[in-house]
Amino acid sequence: MCAPATPGVRAGVVLSFGVNDTVHEAGVPRVAAGASIANLQNPLEQLHTMDWAAPIAGPPGVSDAEHNRRIVALDTGLAVECAHPGAGDMKP
C-alpha cells in the first residue's frame, strides 16, 4: 500500500470480491470459502493500520441460481469478517 498523495486527505479503498471465487471448476468452487474470507483479512488489517477507510462492496448476484446460492453463502462469511472491530472503518 502506498501513502496518500495529498496530505490531510483521508485515503480509502473499496474492496469487492467473491463472485469469481464461487465459480465452479470440476464441481468445486474455484476458491474455498474459508480461503476467500482469509484473503479479506490481510488487506483489512493493513488498511486499518494505515487509518484508511475500507468499505466492502459485497459480491453481486449473477444469472445462475445455484451460483447465487454460493455467493450468498460466501457473502455471509464475509459479513462476519467485516463485523470485526476496525474492518471497513468509515470514520471521518
Side-chain angles (χ1 to χ4, degrees), residues 37 40 44 56 58-59 72-84 87:
I37 294 165
L40 175 62
L44 283 181
I56 311 301
V72 167
L74 176 59
D75 193 42
T76 301
L78 294 172
V80 169
E81 184 60 34
C82 289
H84 291 168

Side-chain angles (χ1 to χ4, degrees), residues 36-92:
S36 292
I37 294 165
N39 288 336
L40 175 62
Q41 293 169 341
N42 186 39
L44 283 181
E45 289 170 5
Q46 286 183 343
L47 293 165
H48 181 68
T49 299
M50 296 168 60
D51 197 33
W52 283 30
I56 311 301
V62 296
S63 62
D64 178 87
E66 183 57 37
H67 192 175
N68 281 332
R69 283 189 276 281
R70 294 189 302 272
I71 292 169
V72 167
L74 176 59
D75 193 42
T76 301
L78 294 172
V80 169
E81 184 60 34
C82 289
H84 291 168
D89 188 3
M90 288 294 292
K91 66 185 177 199

